[in-house]
Amino acid sequence: MSTWKSEALKAKTILQASIPKEWLLPEDKLPPSDQRNVVDFPKASGLFTDRELSITDMSATALVAGMGAGLLSAEEVVVAFLKRAVLGHQLLNFATEFMADTAIARAKELDAYYQRTGKLVGPLHGVPISVKEHIGIKDLTCNGGYVAWVNDIAPEDALILQCLRKAGAIFHVRTNQPQSLMHLCCSNNLTGTTTNPYNRTLTPGGSSGGEGASMGFKCAPLGIGTDIGGSIRAPAAFCNAYGLRPTMRRNPCSGIKAPEPGQEAILGVVGPLAAQSLDDLELFQRAVLDAEPWDIETSLVPLPWRRVKENREFTVGIMWEDGTVRPHPPVTRALQTAKSKLQAAGIKVVDWEAYKHSHGWDIISKLYFPDTASSQKALLSQTNEPTLPLTKWAFSYAHPTPLSISEAWALNVARDEYRDEYHARMKAAGVDFILCPAYVGVAPMLSEAQYWNYTAVWNVLDLPAVVFPSGMAVEERDIGVDVDWVARNEVEEREWRKWRVDPGRFVGAPVGLQVVGRHFKDEETIAAAKVVEEAVRGLEEKAKL
Amino acid sequence: MSTWKSEALKAKTILQASIPKEWLLPEDKLPPSDQRNVVDFPKASGLFTDRELSITDMSATALVAGMGAGLLSAEEVVVAFLKRAVLGHQLLNFATEFMADTAIARAKELDAYYQRTGKLVGPLHGVPISVKEHIGIKDLTCNGGYVAWVNDIAPEDALILQCLRKAGAIFHVRTNQPQSLMHLCCSNNLTGTTTNPYNRTLTPGGSSGGEGASMGFKCAPLGIGTDIGGSIRAPAAFCNAYGLRPTMRRNPCSGIKAPEPGQEAILGVVGPLAAQSLDDLELFQRAVLDAEPWDIETSLVPLPWRRVKENREFTVGIMWEDGTVRPHPPVTRALQTAKSKLQAAGIKVVDWEAYKHSHGWDIISKLYFPDTASSQKALLSQTNEPTLPLTKWAFSYAHPTPLSISEAWALNVARDEYRDEYHARMKAAGVDFILCPAYVGVAPMLSEAQYWNYTAVWNVLDLPAVVFPSGMAVEERDIGVDVDWVARNEVEEREWRKWRVDPGRFVGAPVGLQVVGRHFKDEETIAAAKVVEEAVRGLEEKAKL
């Protein structure tokens, strides 16, 4: 066995040892491996009591309310989600490590506290949260998707986990991520490839792909991902879930392991994914910021999470396409439906033309790897682990020679000018929020996610962006859609080939949409997304799903 | 004449042409050139009416109140300050350009507005503000201290000027800065050397040295400077004035000309100096932030200026020295006096030991010129203007070879860790504010300001810092102070030599002190500085000065 394989095996060993064996379903009871959609399997599996099924269908907000009313115990909640996560892992390979014992022990503590005081410890009392692997947990390994880091032990909990734990959260499972953390898919040489619960031949997205699967299969009501180009939002969109990319410097990043520490031209952010509701994203954010993380991580902006009033007096600009790649038919149909429903609901809607998004991509793609990705490549060559195709793809963005300091400064200037211009145009057009695709299509086939700019442009602009499920999915009628245009460029040609070659591959895949707000207006953006979601899906329809 | 001289002459020509000749005092009526202290000369000059003298002794706050009550006109106010600025320029060479006509025209507009409506246009109605030259003013040249830029015309007003103008401010004079903007002195090859009104053989400080002189001679109640290592605070301290270095990303920097655009590891900040009071610093800040500059310059943090309650329940840590260079005797005496007076006033005082300030200097000095100062050197060599000694001194901080991107990242990490550690130590010690020297001594001799770290350390830490006059100045008794220690290092030896060689050179020079607060707590820092100033000087004593 080559060195990298024996090293990589350590990650698999940790994972295997951590799985609570009592909840494993025997192989022969699992759905056939060619069954694509497994989201309804928990019910069919016979593993869960009705109560467990209904617990795992609850939002974090509802779970906390239930525990506050004494109707649920933290222990039964975490056990239900742990069981579901074990099954999810058998079907989707989304976990990197279970933490069943500590999770259950913590739940018991919380229950005892509630018994003793009649109070909850905090706003996330007893809420199980899945955690992307590179977010460090004290005394556990933290490999960040690199074999070279397989032996690294986190010296303490990442600061965001400390904040959430103080609010009562329980961390029960750690989740998978791609090599380099720079794929919108989820494969690495450590614990392999995670798949999409709505269609196991598709990717759950990335880089927070394990979180996408966790949300889509309801292995937790909340998850924590990171996002430097779409890594929270693509998984949320692909897996029928919710996700927030907050404005930079709001959520604490201390204790999150990644190459390029000190790179601050484009900061990765950490933020929530949610299985059930936008309210849960807000619950998460409030808990984090109420802990005042800026009092420890001083580079954060000391801006508490604000309560904003429900408001429907805003203008939504619908961005139909980004000027480079028109979205696939199901996405356009979802936007068209959204437009009619918003209008029917009395929300002001206008068209929003993408402003220089390819320029934005040009800036951010150069800023990702100004050192030719040498930090990342050095990690790969330390063990000679194979460089996966989408890692090569990501590294291909890098300039072939290292940027000089002054070249990097020029990109910062271009970035800031682009931000100012974009903001000025939104203001001039009276557009408060942009409704747009979260990706060129629905979840792509494994290893085919190559086009980032429906999400990455909001990273270079540093605008808060929320993904929510449109309630729509790919249908037969999308397949017949013919378009009477010729691809404008090779990228559009490439991305449409993926759809046209066999659209049937995507049937059933959900369509997520993205609401983008203004810099530091994270609160308003979630609030607007709630209004949009309610208009687009209708409350009843949502209840039905 | 060599090229650079003919180019440089353009700046002198602009300056000369702009001086309102009617207010020039004939050469033979000026004090002798060897008269060091000229702060009382306005009264002796016979140029000013009593009313003009009292106007130029008023704070911005008082002026606005006077105009609001109809007791003063904006025109008489700006004329009084213009006259004083012209005299100040004759004595101190602090201006780079007068804007008398536009200032008076604007004052007349404001008076007409007040006549018509009975209202002020804003909180700075009619307040004359002097402006450091590299802060761009539409259609005027903006040379930033470089001969190479002598022909550059600003396309529009710097954003901060737009904010202030909207609030009613009037810009009547532009002020001098050193070559490279990186001296704590004020000499360039364009308009020469500015001197200190309290002692014309000393520097007014830098790089906002023209502003220091402007405040010290009361050529304006408020001024605008910039600060990346002490450039607002050193001039304030050396010239018996007030100055604020705000937290980064609060005040807008668009339209300020300097080399290294896009350098953001250590951001220069723009902020106010004031001749009369800390209240004026606050007045300035509120006017700027009430204009919501973040709605144009989106890299700013959208944090309105907060009103904080008067509060005396805080702990002041007195930092006697920084671990590298002990301050000169007058500064130590001022700190000792301050300590007793704070204790007498019932303010809690503890000692604060400087925490790794030399480490902080190590980080920031490398981050100033990570490209070996090549941007700056290229500007100098464009015209072959001579490189001044303190420019060479500043460039000597630069690493001899350009830092790589990853070396720069490592410094960012070190910076953030240092910030977090420093904050944690202040919290652990219960220290809310630090009272410390603003410089190793009082204003140094021209070209002798070499030690930056009593101010620069707060730049690397990004803490808001306020300078105020201690009310004390160098006295004969300081000269006799003997110290029984041996210099700990060459830097201390060098800095003390400057004092010991002839302390009499500094008699009469004022001592400024510095109050440092927590990140983004600019409001609280000014509020605390008010309490400290009141305790240290006493209201009566202050009124007397």
Side-chain angles (χ1 to χ4, degrees):
Chain A
M1 203 185 319
S2 74
T3 317
W4 78 261
K5 283 190 180 166
S6 64
E7 283 299 292
L9 191 59
K10 293 177 181 172
K12 278 207 185 73
T13 305
I14 287 169
L15 168 59
Q16 288 309 320
S18 75
I19 299 174
K21 308 298 176 301
E22 64 275 29
W23 294 320
L24 281 171
L25 195 64
E27 291 283 331
D28 59 356
K29 299 247 170 94
L30 290 171
S33 63
D34 62 353
Q35 180 179 324
R36 299 198 290 185
N37 187 326
V38 294
V39 292
D40 292 330
F41 184 71
K43 192 162 188 185
S45 72
L47 268 173
F48 300 91
T49 65
D50 284 351
R51 189 172 168 93
E52 285 170 335
L53 286 172
S54 73
I55 284 172
T56 53
D57 264 340
M58 288 169 79
S59 69
T61 307
L63 288 166
V64 173
M67 287 183 271
L71 301 172
L72 292 168
S73 75
E75 185 178 358
E76 67 173 337
V77 167
V78 79
V79 166
F81 281 103
L82 272 166
K83 284 176 68 177
R84 191 147 179 152
V86 170
L87 180 61
H89 182 67
Q90 286 187 278
L91 298 170
L92 308 166
N93 192 44
F94 85 100
T96 65
E97 185 167 9
F98 285 84
M99 301 172 291
D101 292 346
T102 55
I104 293 169
R106 177 65 179 148
K108 286 179 176 168
E109 279 175 22
L110 293 174
D111 286 333
Y113 179 89
Y114 179 78
Q115 292 296 333
R116 203 166 63 241
T117 65
K119 288 181 187 158
L120 301 178
V121 299
L124 290 172
H125 183 107
V127 174
I129 298 185
S130 51
V131 184
K132 190 176 182 180
E133 197 271 353
H134 77 131
I135 300 169
I137 297 186
K138 188 172 162 46
D139 297 336
L140 301 185
T141 56
C142 190
N143 61 51
Y146 287 98
V147 176
W149 280 345
V150 77
N151 300 307
D152 285 18
I153 307 285
E156 58 182 339
D157 284 347
L159 183 51
I160 194 165
L161 301 187
Q162 296 177 35
C163 297
L164 293 165
R165 199 190 291 279
K166 204 189 296 178
I170 296 177
F171 309 115
H172 62 312
V173 60
R174 303 176 72 195
T175 64
N176 206 27
Q177 64 213 346
Q179 183 187 53
S180 85
L181 296 162
M182 296 296 274
H183 313 180
L184 293 184
C185 287
C186 194
S187 288
N188 62 45
N189 291 319
L190 293 149
T191 53
T193 297
T194 303
T195 56
N196 188 315
Y198 283 83
N199 180 335
R200 292 194 289 169
T201 63
L202 304 178
T203 181
S207 66
S208 312
E211 286 303 318
S214 174
M215 296 300 105
F217 200 72
K218 303 188 167 103
C219 303
L222 277 168
I224 317 178
T226 54
D227 189 322
I228 199 171
S231 286
I232 286 173
R233 291 161 290 156
F238 297 171
C239 296
N240 211 37
Y242 301 83
L244 167 69
R245 188 211 91 91
T247 300
M248 295 171 190
R249 299 201 186 280
R250 292 204 73 179
N251 286 352
C253 290
S254 309
I256 299 179
K257 195 173 177 92
E260 303 191 350
Q263 186 282 97
E264 56 191 13
I266 300 291
L267 285 173
V269 294
V270 59
L273 294 91
Q276 302 288 348
S277 78
L278 291 164
D279 283 330
D280 281 2
L281 298 180
E282 193 177 10
L283 178 71
F284 178 105
Q285 282 300 107
R286 173 161 295 124
V288 171
L289 296 190
D290 280 357
E292 304 191 350
W294 52 80
D295 200 34
I296 292 173
E297 189 175 316
T298 60
S299 53
L300 300 178
V301 174
L303 208 60
W305 189 259
R306 293 169 289 114
R307 293 186 187 269
V308 296
K309 288 209 184 101
E310 164 110 17
N311 164 22
R312 300 167 62 85
E313 301 302 309
F314 54 74
T315 298
V316 175
I318 299 193
M319 192 187 97
W320 300 98
E321 60 120 336
D322 75 348
T324 300
V325 180
R326 279 165 277 218
H328 295 167
V331 175
T332 297
R333 178 170 60 83
L335 279 177
Q336 285 163 340
T337 308
K339 181 180 177 181
S340 329
K341 294 203 173 177
L342 284 167
Q343 287 174 324
I347 307 294
K348 189 166 175 206
V349 173
V350 298
D351 288 338
W352 175 253
E353 191 177 345
Y355 177 65
K356 301 202 314 193
H357 283 209
S358 63
H359 173 65
W361 174 249
D362 197 49
I363 296 168
I364 197 170
S365 58
K366 285 179 177 142
L367 286 172
Y368 283 141
F369 306 109
D371 68 341
T372 72
S374 64
S375 340
Q376 290 85 349
K377 288 173 186 166
L379 281 170
L380 295 176
S381 63
Q382 254 182 56
T383 62
N384 285 317
E385 66 167 306
T387 303
L388 300 182
L390 284 184
T391 305
K392 284 184 192 150
W393 177 257
F395 292 173
S396 74
Y397 304 149
H399 198 262
T401 52
L403 294 188
S404 70
I405 291 278
S406 51
E407 287 167 330
W409 287 342
L411 288 169
N412 291 345
V413 171
R415 178 203 63 197
D416 286 355
E417 285 175 356
Y418 183 47
R419 287 177 179 173
D420 289 354
E421 285 173 21
Y422 210 101
H423 179 71
R425 287 180 81 93
M426 282 180 72
K427 262 204 306 188
V431 166
D432 301 296
F433 302 97
I434 294 170
L435 177 65
C436 62
Y439 187 70
V440 59
V442 294
M445 301 295 290
L446 297 174
S447 288
E448 288 197 355
Q450 291 173 296
Y451 188 71
W452 297 18
N453 210 29
Y454 276 100
T455 44
V457 73
W458 313 121
N459 294 77
V460 66
L461 290 169
D462 196 16
L463 299 182
V466 171
V467 160
F468 67 96
S470 68
M472 291 167 258
V474 179
E475 298 176 8
E476 291 295 336
R477 60 173 157 162
D478 295 314
I479 294 174
V481 171
D482 206 15
V483 291
D484 59 354
W485 48 263
V486 177
R488 296 168 295 188
N489 53 67
E490 283 180 12
V491 179
E492 194 165 53
E493 177 68 35
R494 179 192 78 210
E495 291 302 325
W496 272 75
R497 201 181 309 126
K498 293 174 190 169
W499 169 254
R500 284 179 173 137
V501 65
D502 181 5
R505 302 186 299 181
F506 302 105
V507 169
V511 179
L513 292 175
Q514 190 173 203
V515 173
V516 179
R518 294 186 179 176
H519 196 217
F520 277 108
K521 302 286 186 190
D522 306 49
E523 294 86 338
E524 288 81 354
T525 307
I526 292 180
K530 283 187 209 171
V531 173
V532 172
E533 186 193 23
E534 195 180 304
V536 172
R537 304 181 64 181
L539 281 178
E540 319 79 54
E541 188 187 348
K542 196 185 158 189
K544 214 169 60 194
L545 288 172
Chain B
M1 203 185 315
S2 74
T3 317
W4 78 262
K5 282 189 180 166
S6 64
E7 284 297 293
L9 192 57
K10 294 178 181 173
K12 278 207 186 71
T13 306
I14 287 170
L15 168 59
Q16 288 309 321
S18 75
I19 299 175
K21 308 297 176 302
E22 65 273 28
W23 294 321
L24 281 171
L25 195 64
E27 291 283 333
D28 60 355
K29 301 245 170 97
L30 290 171
S33 63
D34 63 351
Q35 180 179 323
R36 299 199 290 188
N37 188 328
V38 294
V39 293
D40 293 328
F41 183 71
K43 193 163 187 186
S45 71
L47 269 174
F48 300 90
T49 65
D50 284 352
R51 189 173 168 91
E52 285 171 335
L53 285 173
S54 74
I55 284 172
T56 53
D57 264 341
M58 288 169 76
S59 68
T61 306
L63 288 166
V64 173
M67 287 182 271
L71 300 172
L72 292 169
S73 75
E75 186 178 356
E76 68 172 336
V77 167
V78 79
V79 166
F81 280 104
L82 271 166
K83 285 175 67 175
R84 192 150 179 149
V86 169
L87 180 62
H89 181 66
Q90 287 187 277
L91 299 169
L92 308 166
N93 190 44
F94 85 100
T96 64
E97 185 167 10
F98 285 84
M99 301 173 291
D101 293 345
T102 54
I104 293 169
R106 177 67 178 146
K108 287 179 174 169
E109 278 175 23
L110 293 174
D111 286 334
Y113 179 89
Y114 180 77
Q115 292 296 333
R116 204 166 62 242
T117 64
K119 287 181 187 159
L120 301 178
V121 301
L124 290 172
H125 183 107
V127 174
I129 299 184
S130 51
V131 184
K132 189 177 184 180
E133 197 272 351
H134 77 130
I135 300 168
I137 296 186
K138 187 171 163 46
D139 296 336
L140 300 185
T141 55
C142 190
N143 62 50
Y146 287 98
V147 177
W149 280 345
V150 78
N151 301 307
D152 285 18
I153 307 285
E156 58 183 341
D157 285 347
L159 182 53
I160 194 165
L161 301 187
Q162 296 178 35
C163 297
L164 293 164
R165 200 189 289 279
K166 203 188 298 178
I170 296 178
F171 308 113
H172 62 312
V173 62
R174 304 175 71 195
T175 64
N176 206 25
Q177 63 213 345
Q179 183 187 53
S180 85
L181 295 162
M182 297 295 274
H183 312 180
L184 293 183
C185 287
C186 194
S187 290
N188 61 45
N189 291 319
L190 294 150
T191 53
T193 296
T194 305
T195 56
N196 189 314
Y198 283 83
N199 182 333
R200 293 193 291 169
T201 64
L202 305 179
T203 181
S207 64
S208 314
E211 286 304 317
S214 174
M215 296 300 105
F217 200 71
K218 303 189 168 101
C219 303
L222 278 168
I224 317 178
T226 53
D227 189 322
I228 200 170
S231 285
I232 286 173
R233 292 161 291 155
F238 296 171
C239 297
N240 211 36
Y242 300 83
L244 167 69
R245 188 210 90 92
T247 301
M248 294 171 192
R249 299 201 188 279
R250 293 204 71 178
N251 286 353
C253 290
S254 308
I256 300 178
K257 194 171 176 93
E260 303 192 350
Q263 185 283 96
E264 57 189 16
I266 300 291
L267 285 173
V269 294
V270 58
L273 294 91
Q276 302 288 349
S277 78
L278 291 165
D279 283 329
D280 282 2
L281 298 181
E282 194 177 9
L283 178 70
F284 178 105
Q285 283 299 109
R286 173 161 296 123
V288 171
L289 296 190
D290 280 358
E292 304 192 349
W294 51 81
D295 200 32
I296 291 173
E297 187 174 318
T298 60
S299 52
L300 300 177
V301 174
L303 208 60
W305 189 260
R306 293 169 289 112
R307 293 184 186 272
V308 296
K309 287 210 185 100
E310 165 110 18
N311 164 24
R312 301 166 61 86
E313 301 302 308
F314 54 75
T315 299
V316 175
I318 299 193
M319 193 187 97
W320 300 97
E321 61 121 336
D322 75 348
T324 300
V325 180
R326 279 165 276 218
H328 296 167
V331 176
T332 297
R333 178 171 59 82
L335 279 177
Q336 284 163 342
T337 308
K339 181 181 177 179
S340 329
K341 294 204 173 176
L342 283 167
Q343 286 174 325
I347 308 294
K348 189 165 177 206
V349 173
V350 299
D351 289 338
W352 176 253
E353 191 177 345
Y355 176 65
K356 301 202 314 195
H357 284 209
S358 63
H359 174 63
W361 174 250
D362 197 49
I363 296 168
I364 196 170
S365 57
K366 285 179 178 145
L367 286 172
Y368 282 141
F369 306 109
D371 68 342
T372 71
S374 64
S375 341
Q376 290 86 350
K377 288 173 186 167
L379 282 170
L380 296 177
S381 64
Q382 254 182 57
T383 62
N384 284 317
E385 66 167 306
T387 302
L388 300 182
L390 283 184
T391 305
K392 283 185 193 149
W393 177 257
F395 292 172
S396 75
Y397 303 149
H399 199 261
T401 51
L403 294 188
S404 69
I405 291 277
S406 52
E407 286 167 331
W409 287 342
L411 287 169
N412 291 346
V413 171
R415 178 203 63 196
D416 286 354
E417 285 175 356
Y418 182 47
R419 287 177 179 173
D420 289 353
E421 283 173 19
Y422 210 101
H423 178 73
R425 285 180 84 92
M426 282 180 73
K427 261 203 309 185
V431 166
D432 300 297
F433 302 98
I434 293 169
L435 177 65
C436 62
Y439 187 70
V440 59
V442 294
M445 302 295 290
L446 297 174
S447 288
E448 288 196 357
Q450 291 173 296
Y451 188 70
W452 299 16
N453 210 29
Y454 276 101
T455 44
V457 72
W458 313 121
N459 294 77
V460 67
L461 289 169
D462 196 16
L463 300 182
V466 171
V467 161
F468 68 96
S470 69
M472 291 166 257
V474 179
E475 298 175 8
E476 291 294 338
R477 61 174 155 160
D478 294 315
I479 294 174
V481 171
D482 206 16
V483 290
D484 60 353
W485 47 262
V486 178
R488 296 168 294 188
N489 54 66
E490 284 179 12
V491 179
E492 194 165 53
E493 177 68 33
R494 179 192 77 210
E495 292 302 324
W496 271 74
R497 202 182 306 125
K498 295 174 189 168
W499 169 255
R500 284 179 174 138
V501 64
D502 181 6
R505 303 185 299 181
F506 303 103
V507 168
V511 179
L513 293 176
Q514 189 174 205
V515 173
V516 179
R518 294 187 179 176
H519 196 219
F520 278 105
K521 300 286 187 191
D522 305 50
E523 294 87 338
E524 288 81 354
T525 307
I526 292 181
K530 284 188 210 172
V531 173
V532 172
E533 186 192 26
E534 195 180 304
V536 172
R537 304 180 65 181
L539 280 179
E540 319 79 54
E541 187 187 348
K542 197 186 158 189
K544 215 170 56 192
L545 286 173

